[in-house]
Amino acid sequence: MKVFLLLLQLAPLISGSIVINEPSDIIPEQQWSSDNAIKADYDIPVIYYQTIANIAPYIVAHQRKTFQNAVLKDNSNDTSVLIAANGSVVHVIDTEVIKFGYSSDLIQASFFGTNAAVLAANHSQLYLSDVNITTHNGAANIYAYGTDTVVDAENIWLYSSGPTAHGLYASGNGTINARNVQVFSGGNRCSAFSGDNPAGYIYIRDSVARTAGIGSAVGFVLGEMNLTNVVGSAERSPAFFTIGGAVGSCTNCELTAGLLAGLVIFGLDKSSGVNYFSLDHTKLTITDETAPALWFGGVVGEVYVRHTELVTSSGILAVANYSTITQEFNFYAGYYDDPSAVNTADGRVFVEDSTLTGDLVAFNGSTLGLHLTDNSFWTGKGYIGYGSADLGVVLDASSVWNLTGDTALLNLTNAVTTFSNIRSNGFSITYNASAPANRPLRSRTFKLEGGGTVSPMSRK
Ligand SMILES: *[C@@H]1O[C@H](CO)[C@@H](O)[C@H](O)[C@H]1NC(C)=O
Ligand SMILES: *[C@@H]1O[C@H](CO)[C@@H](O)[C@H](O)[C@H]1NC(C)=O
Ligand SMILES: *[C@@H]1O[C@H](CO)[C@@H](O)[C@H](O)[C@H]1NC(C)=O
Ligand SMILES: *[C@@H]1O[C@H](CO)[C@@H](O)[C@H](O)[C@H]1NC(C)=O
Ligand SMILES: *[C@@H]1O[C@H](CO)[C@@H](O)[C@H](O)[C@H]1NC(C)=O
Ligand SMILES: *[C@@H]1O[C@H](CO)[C@@H](O)[C@H](O)[C@H]1NC(C)=O
Ligand SMILES: *[C@@H]1O[C@H](CO)[C@@H](O)[C@H](O)[C@H]1NC(C)=O
Ligand SMILES: *[C@@H]1O[C@H](CO)[C@@H](O)[C@H](O)[C@H]1NC(C)=O
Ligand SMILES: *[C@@H]1O[C@H](CO)[C@@H](O)[C@H](O)[C@H]1NC(C)=O
Ligand SMILES: *[C@@H]1O[C@H](CO)[C@@H](O)[C@H](O)[C@H]1NC(C)=O
Ligand SMILES: *[C@@H]1O[C@H](CO)[C@@H](O)[C@H](O)[C@H]1NC(C)=O
C-alpha cells in the first residue's frame, strides 16, 4: 500500500500553485456530515486519573510484534483497534486500520487515549510505515501516552469524522516523530497534530494537513511541537492553539487559518511559564476578516518571525488581550464568560528579515512589543483596544517602520538616532518620556520623513 504521492518529495513545499492532495479527496467530508455535526461534550468533570480501561481486539503488552499486510477493525465505543502497551515494541507495516465507535468521556479520551484507533502507552515503541487509518464517530487516529513512549511513523494516511478526533496525539509526555503524513479531520476540536496534559512532544516533517471544524487547528501545542515542510489548512480554526509554557516552531511551512487568528497563544494564568513560538521561512494566511495574525490572551508569549509572511485581511498583525479562549474554541472569552480564567497578556514579537503589514492592538492592562531587526519592514500603527495598555516598538538600523496612523507608545527604541528609518506618511508617534526605555530620547521631538513627528506624550 504505497499511498504516497510525489508531492511530498517537493521540498520546499511553499509554492502556492501546486495541487496538494489530502484524505478528503478520497472520502468526501460531506459523506460524514452528521458525524461531523456532533459537538464535543466538554461539560464534564476533569478527572486526572484513568477511569476507563484501554481495551482493543489487538493488544500487545510486554512483547515484540509485527503486523504486516493486515486490515484491523473495530466498531465498539470506548475501544481502540490496536494497543501497544507496557514496554512493547510493535511494528505496523502496509496495514489499514478502520474504526467506528463513540467516545463516552472526552477527558479520558484526551488524557489516556481511550477510543483512539491506535494507542501506544507506557514505555512502548510503535513503528508505523505505509499505514492508513480511518476513524468515524469521534476517535483519534494515533495516540502516544506516557514518558518513554515513542511513535515513529512514515507514509501515513489519516482520516477522521466526528468530534475530538485528532490525527497524531500525544500526552503524558509521549513523543511522536512522523514524516509523510496526510491528515484530514472533519469534526470539531480535531487538530491534525495535538499535545495534551501534561505535555506531548510532536515532530512532523513533509506533511499535509487539513481540518474543517471549529477548534480544529493544524497544531494544538501543549508541550512541544515542531513542523518542518508542512502544508496545512485549518478552515474554522487558527493554524495553532498554543497554551501556557509550550514551545512550538514552523519551518518552511505554508499555513492557512480560518477563525480567531493565525496563532492563538493563550493561558489560564501567567504562572505556567513563557510560551515560545517560532515561524521561519513560513507563510501564514488568515482568511477570517476580523482576525489578527498573532493573538495573545492570559499568557506571557514570545513569537519569533524570521523570513516569514503573515497575510491578514483584517489588517491586524498582533493583539494582546485581557481574555482567553472558550471551551468551544469559537470566540474570545471575557470577564463575563469566565472571570477566573481571564488574565492580561504580555506578547512580544521578534521580527527578522521579514516584511509585515498590520496593526498592534493591546487591551485592558496587556502589553505588546514589536522588535524589528535584520532588514525588516513594517507597515502599520499601534492602538489601544480597550482601557489602558502598553505598546512598544524597537527598530534596529536596518529596519523600517512605515507608519499608517498616529501611535502612542510606552517604549520607542530606535538604533537610528535621526529617525530616518520611520516613514511617517503624515502621521505622528508619541512616547512616554518617563519610561526608562525612552531615556535616550531625552524628551526631545524629532521630525519624520513625510511630515509627522516623534514627540513626548503630554502629561495628564
Ligand atoms: C484509506 O482507507 C480508506 C478507507 O478504507 C479508503 O477509502 C482510502 O482509499 C484509503 N486511502 C488510500 C490512500 O489508500
Ligand atoms: C499494563 O500494566 C498495568 C499495571 O502496571 C495494567 O494495569 C495494564 O492493564 C497493563 N496493560 C496491558 C495492556 O496489559
Ligand atoms: C455507543 O455510543 C452511542 C453514542 O453515545 C450510543 O448511542 C450507543 O448506544 C453506544 N453503544 C453501546 C453498545 O453502548
Ligand atoms: C498504563 O499504565 C497505567 C498505570 O499502571 C495503567 O493504568 C494503564 O492501564 C496502562 N495503559 C495501558 C494501555 O495498558
Ligand atoms: C510526565 O512527566 C512529569 C514530569 O516529569 C511526571 O511527573 C509525570 O509522571 C509524567 N507522566 C507520565 C504519564 O509519564
Ligand atoms: C523544536 O523547535 C524549538 C524552537 O525552534 C527548538 O528549540 C527545539 O530544539 C526543537 N526541537 C527539536 C527536537 O527539534
Ligand atoms: C478582547 O477581549 C474581550 C474580552 O475581555 C473580548 O470581548 C474581545 O472580543 C477581545 N477582542 C480581541 C480582538 O481579542
Ligand atoms: C478589564 O480588566 C479588569 C481587571 O483589571 C476587569 O475587571 C475588567 O472586567 C476588564 N474589562 C474588560 C472589558 O475586559
Ligand atoms: C518597555 O520597556 C521595558 C524596559 O524598560 C520592558 O521591561 C517592557 O517589557 C517594555 N514594554 C513593552 C510593551 O515593550
Ligand atoms: C506605507 O504606508 C502607506 C500608507 O500609509 C501605504 O500607502 C504604502 O503602500 C506603504 N508602503 C509600503 C512599501 O508598504
Ligand atoms: C509613563 O511611564 C511611567 C513610568 O513607567 C508610568 O508611571 C506612567 O503611567 C506612564 N504614563 C502613561 C500615560 O502611560
Side-chain angles (χ1 to χ4, degrees), residues 12 59 105 224 237 247 312 431:
I59 297 190
D105 187 318
E224 184 168 291
S237 164
V247 178
T312 64
Y431 65 91

Side-chain angles (χ1 to χ4, degrees), residues 82-138:
L82 169 63
I83 296 177
N86 297 358
S88 294
V89 179
V90 174
H91 291 256
V92 181
I93 304 160
D94 287 327
T95 285
E96 182 160 357
V97 177
I98 300 165
K99 172 170 167 52
F100 288 82
Y102 298 83
S103 167
S104 68
D105 187 318
L106 178 145
I107 298 296
Q108 293 289 303
S110 301
F111 292 178
F112 306 105
T114 51
N115 209 49
V118 174
L119 169 67
N122 299 338
H123 317 281
S124 296
Q125 319 291 309
L126 174 64
Y127 299 90
L128 302 140
S129 72
D130 300 291
V131 172
N132 180 344
I133 304 175
T134 304
T135 68
H136 298 295
N137 313 143

Side-chain angles (χ1 to χ4, degrees), residues 183-205:
V183 49
F184 170 79
S185 70
N188 64 102
R189 278 173 160 247
C190 303
S191 296
F193 312 116
S194 182
D196 215 318
N197 179 72
Y201 297 86
I202 299 181
Y203 307 97
I204 310 288
R205 305 185 64 87

Side-chain angles (χ1 to χ4, degrees), residues 105-373:
D105 187 318
L106 178 145
I107 298 296
Q108 293 289 303
S110 301
F111 292 178
F112 306 105
T114 51
N115 209 49
V118 174
L119 169 67
N122 299 338
H123 317 281
S124 296
Q125 319 291 309
L126 174 64
Y127 299 90
L128 302 140
S129 72
D130 300 291
V131 172
N132 180 344
I133 304 175
T134 304
T135 68
H136 298 295
N137 313 143
N141 294 119
I142 299 175
Y143 194 104
Y145 174 78
T147 305
D148 298 333
T149 290
V150 180
V151 173
D152 280 304
E154 62 173 357
N155 307 341
I156 306 295
W157 187 99
L158 305 175
Y159 184 96
S160 72
S161 67
T164 12
H166 304 286
L168 297 174
Y169 197 11
S171 83
N173 321 314
T175 298
I176 298 178
N177 301 303
R179 54 176 289 271
N180 263 8
V181 183
Q182 284 185 54
V183 49
F184 170 79
S185 70
N188 64 102
R189 278 173 160 247
C190 303
S191 296
F193 312 116
S194 182
D196 215 318
N197 179 72
Y201 297 86
I202 299 181
Y203 307 97
I204 310 288
R205 305 185 64 87
D206 307 332
S207 293
V208 175
R210 183 166 92 81
T211 64
I214 291 178
S216 302
V218 173
F220 190 101
V221 191
L222 205 174
E224 184 168 291
M225 183 179 300
N226 293 359
L227 307 188
T228 308
N229 287 338
V230 171
V231 175
S233 165
E235 249 162 58
R236 293 202 285 164
S237 164
F240 291 92
F241 285 106
T242 170
I243 186 164
V247 178
S249 74
C250 259
T251 307
N252 209 14
C253 293
E254 177 153 346
L255 302 167
T256 308
L259 193 68
L260 297 175
L263 260 65
V264 164
I265 301 167
F266 73 108
L268 302 181
D269 66 69
K270 290 184 180 174
S271 65
S272 49
V274 180
N275 185 292
Y276 294 96
F277 202 98
S278 122
L279 296 162
D280 191 356
H281 285 77
T282 284
K283 180 174 180 183
L284 172 56
T285 304
I286 298 91
T287 57
D288 179 335
E289 285 176 6
T290 62
L294 310 172
W295 188 90
F296 301 87
V299 76
V300 179
E302 297 188 358
V303 175
Y304 294 80
V305 175
R306 186 165 164 256
H307 197 90
T308 281
E309 273 181 82
L310 301 173
V311 183
T312 64
S313 42
S314 66
I316 304 172
L317 177 61
V319 166
N321 201 349
Y322 177 84
S323 179
T324 190
I325 295 297
T326 58
Q327 278 280 11
E328 210 176 321
F329 295 101
N330 61 348
F331 70 100
Y332 296 123
Y335 188 79
Y336 297 104
D337 303 298
D338 190 351
S340 67
V342 285
N343 205 332
T344 57
D346 298 301
R348 297 291 181 269
V349 183
F350 298 89
V351 182
E352 230 183 278
D353 186 24
S354 302
T355 296
L356 299 178
T357 299
D359 298 339
L360 306 179
V361 195
F363 289 75
N364 202 20
S366 293
T367 73
L368 183 57
L370 181 68
H371 297 240
L372 299 161
T373 60

